Amino acid sequence: MQENQIDITVEQWRILFYLWNQDGLNQRELATIANKEKSTITRQVDVLEKKKLIERRNAPTDKRNKLIFLTQKGKEIEEVALNAARNITQKAEENISKDELKIFKKVITQIIDNIK
């Protein structure tokens, strides 16, 4: 990300990724999707808000519930950030066969499920 002048961490990228797919989630929904503690998401959301990539808005039906939306700046970095992530993934998967990747993904998924 830094090579592309995008000042975000991997954890912040994940939050943006979920919002690029479904804008207007609340922090509880983000925590569930990301499989992270709500407090961890809160810290990342605070930083992303300071960077002006996202903003919190009151939910229309419950003013206590804050929904998180991408700002224009947050939307504008999507293509560059996704391309950077694709390049990282492509580099990481070099010289590894599709069958080996399939086995790896199955095993890592099982490890994550076991930990849950």
Side-chain angles (χ1 to χ4, degrees), residues 73-106:
K73 183 178 177 183
K75 292 175 185 176
E76 289 171 357
I77 69 166
E78 178 179 5
E79 186 176 337
V80 174
L82 289 175
N83 283 335
R86 281 187 206 101
N87 290 339
I88 292 166
T89 300
Q90 187 177 20
K91 185 173 181 100
E93 293 177 352
E94 281 180 5
N95 303 315
I96 302 172
S97 74
K98 290 191 185 293
D99 288 339
E100 291 170 321
L101 282 171
K102 186 176 180 181
I103 292 168
F104 168 75
K105 289 174 183 176
K106 181 179 179 183

Side-chain angles (χ1 to χ4, degrees), residues 4-99:
N4 291 288
Q5 285 74 45
I6 301 173
D7 181 29
I8 57 173
T9 65
V10 172
E11 292 299 322
Q12 293 163 5
W13 183 91
R14 287 179 70 189
I15 291 170
L16 291 171
F17 177 79
Y18 298 128
L19 292 172
W20 290 325
N21 287 302
Q22 185 180 349
D23 208 7
L25 298 170
N26 66 35
Q27 287 180 207
R28 184 179 59 250
E29 292 167 328
L30 279 172
T32 300
I33 294 167
N35 197 30
K36 297 285 182 184
E37 294 292 324
K38 190 176 173 213
S39 60
T40 301
I41 295 297
T42 299
R43 285 190 300 275
Q44 298 302 328
V45 166
D46 289 344
V47 172
L48 288 168
E49 192 170 37
K50 286 178 187 171
K51 292 180 180 185
K52 307 224 183 286
L53 295 171
I54 62 169
E55 62 185 6
R56 291 178 173 108
R57 298 182 199 158
N58 291 331
T61 57
D62 182 357
K63 302 293 184 209
R64 294 169 296 168
N65 188 15
K66 301 288 186 195
L67 303 180
I68 302 164
F69 288 89
L70 294 160
T71 62
Q72 187 59 39
K73 183 178 177 183
K75 292 175 185 176
E76 289 171 357
I77 69 166
E78 178 179 5
E79 186 176 337
V80 174
L82 289 175
N83 283 335
R86 281 187 206 101
N87 290 339
I88 292 166
T89 300
Q90 187 177 20
K91 185 173 181 100
E93 293 177 352
E94 281 180 5
N95 303 315
I96 302 172
S97 74
K98 290 191 185 293
D99 288 339

